[in-house]
Amino acid sequence: MLGLDLHCCFFVGSERNMYKLTLDGVDVMGERLAEEVIEVINRRPEIKKISFVAHSVGGLVARYAIGRLYRPPRRKSQEDSTVGACEDDSRGTIYGLEAINFVTVATPHLGSRGNKQVPFLFGVTAIEKVASLVIHWIFRRTGRHLFLTDNDGGQPPLLQRMVDDCGDLYFLSALRAFKRRVAYANVGYDHIVGWRTSSIRLNSELPKWEDSLSEKYPHIVYEEKSKSKKVDQYAMDSIGEDDNCNDELEGELVTGLSRVSWERVDVSFHTSRLRFAAHSVIQVKDSFMESEGADVIQHMIDHFLLT
């Protein structure tokens, strides 16, 4: 989480969902993160703007948290209309703060359910089906959320509910409040989170990429900016025969999240000596061992909006 005041910016690393606490479920972790954000805002009343940068499941947790923290735009009174209300009043906020950047890195936005979404399962249907049945033994509630097997009180899976506003949780409105939304994704060698799920694309939308010619960003192999689409327009224009839409739920998640615009940044470590650790290298979890991902971090910094 990044906080911005009138003169500078400061970073806050969340500490509420560490170690075994990551097994408690996306919703429980999201509530914890929301509480943590509120505490920081209350301690630092000078903060005016807010951004989020999240890796892996943390991206889902952040999406849940902003859904809880979202505040609808202030309604204009007749007096406001007369004197002219501030333009920012027409946009919602994140607990009263202007929402700037929402950045996810190797996040399974579409879950980990089948269709090669978890590469280390080798795309073998039988293995993927077994994994969906036993994943909660290892990853407990979080595993159910990732494989979309949760059924709390007869409700649809949480990730399905998170593509729209749901009761007092404004998941889609919160995403829309940010000036920019960015999804960084590994095109390969990420054996935990597949390319489609981290880049929020159908199979037919995955681009053909080439080795980077950039000296500054040698691992950035493709970039695109997509406009938001209406549901019916997206279904008509994008979903084709090559999308393996046997899993209609995956198509529904892509369609729902595409109602807001996204910047997609595709990353490849295929020439790296640590390519098999791409899921960690992309975020430089260890600054010494995984320094090859530094150009991806630099790319985030260079494109980060402060206003």
Side-chain angles (χ1 to χ4, degrees):
M1 179 183 70
L2 172 69
L4 300 167
D5 63 25
L6 292 176
H7 306 290
C8 65
C9 61
F10 67 95
F11 296 85
V12 178
S14 175
E15 298 180 347
R16 293 290 172 85
N17 294 301
M18 302 175 71
Y19 309 114
K20 290 185 178 181
L21 295 179
T22 61
L23 306 178
D24 293 341
V26 171
D27 52 355
V28 174
M29 289 189 286
E31 295 288 355
R32 290 191 195 120
L33 178 58
E35 291 174 1
E36 188 174 15
V37 171
I38 291 171
E39 289 176 7
V40 171
I41 293 173
N42 289 339
R43 289 200 307 268
R44 302 292 297 263
E46 71 274 17
I47 299 175
K48 304 300 180 184
K49 304 175 183 181
I50 191 168
S51 294
F52 288 81
V53 179
H55 175 255
S56 196
V57 177
L60 299 177
V61 174
R63 277 177 50 201
Y64 187 100
I66 64 173
R68 173 63 72 194
L69 294 167
Y70 176 77
R71 298 295 181 267
R74 182 171 65 88
R75 291 185 177 181
K76 295 181 181 179
S77 65
Q78 188 172 358
E79 181 180 351
D80 289 333
S81 300
T82 302
V83 300
C86 176
E87 183 178 338
D88 286 342
D89 287 344
S90 63
R91 300 176 59 221
T93 66
I94 301 301
Y95 206 71
L97 305 186
E98 183 182 0
I100 308 297
N101 306 273
F102 189 85
V103 183
T104 64
V105 184
T107 289
H109 289 285
L110 312 180
S112 305
R113 170 177 167 162
N115 296 336
K116 302 180 181 179
Q117 297 289 36
V118 182
F120 79 79
L121 297 179
F122 308 109
V124 178
T125 302
I127 297 178
E128 291 177 338
K129 287 183 176 179
V130 171
S132 68
L133 295 174
V134 303
I135 194 67
H136 62 282
W137 295 352
I138 305 171
F139 295 109
R140 297 186 349 212
R141 184 177 173 81
T142 301
R144 290 188 184 276
H145 287 155
L146 290 176
F147 278 77
L148 292 92
T149 58
D150 54 304
N151 182 28
D152 295 338
Q155 297 185 90
L158 178 62
L159 296 193
Q160 183 178 4
R161 285 179 274 144
M162 284 175 59
V163 301
D164 207 341
D165 293 344
C166 183
D168 61 349
L169 292 163
Y170 298 90
F171 298 123
L172 188 64
S173 293
L175 277 176
R176 188 174 284 124
F178 286 84
K179 288 190 174 181
R180 62 191 292 259
R181 293 152 296 279
V182 192
Y184 284 81
N186 282 310
V187 304
Y189 290 102
D190 188 328
H191 298 292
I192 299 174
V193 178
W195 187 12
R196 290 201 324 278
T197 188
S198 55
S199 65
I200 318 175
R201 291 185 178 111
L202 297 169
N203 192 57
S204 62
E205 295 175 318
L206 295 176
K208 294 182 179 180
W209 58 273
E210 298 178 352
D211 288 350
S212 174
L213 298 178
S214 171
E215 292 184 6
K216 189 173 185 180
Y217 311 123
H219 298 109
I220 305 294
V221 297
Y222 194 88
E223 296 181 68
E224 70 173 14
K225 292 184 179 180
S226 67
K227 296 181 179 179
S228 59
K229 290 188 176 184
K230 295 180 180 179
V231 174
D232 54 350
Q233 177 190 0
Y234 191 91
M236 183 182 299
D237 293 347
S238 302
I239 300 178
E241 295 179 357
D242 297 331
D243 290 317
N244 192 11
C245 280
N246 290 329
D247 192 342
E248 295 181 0
L249 183 51
E250 179 181 319
E252 182 180 333
L253 298 182
V254 175
T255 301
L257 289 172
S258 296
R259 284 183 287 169
V260 295
S261 61
W262 288 89
E263 297 174 33
R264 294 178 174 88
V265 183
D266 299 311
V267 179
S268 177
F269 293 105
H270 69 286
T271 61
S272 169
R273 59 186 176 82
L274 292 176
R275 57 186 176 275
F276 291 103
H279 190 68
S280 294
V281 175
I282 195 173
Q283 65 152 341
V284 193
K285 190 173 183 178
D286 185 303
S287 60
F288 176 73
M289 292 292 295
E290 298 165 349
S291 60
E292 289 186 73
D295 64 302
V296 180
I297 304 301
Q298 189 62 53
H299 185 277
M300 293 182 201
I301 295 171
D302 291 346
H303 292 78
F304 217 78
L305 295 181
L306 295 181
T307 58

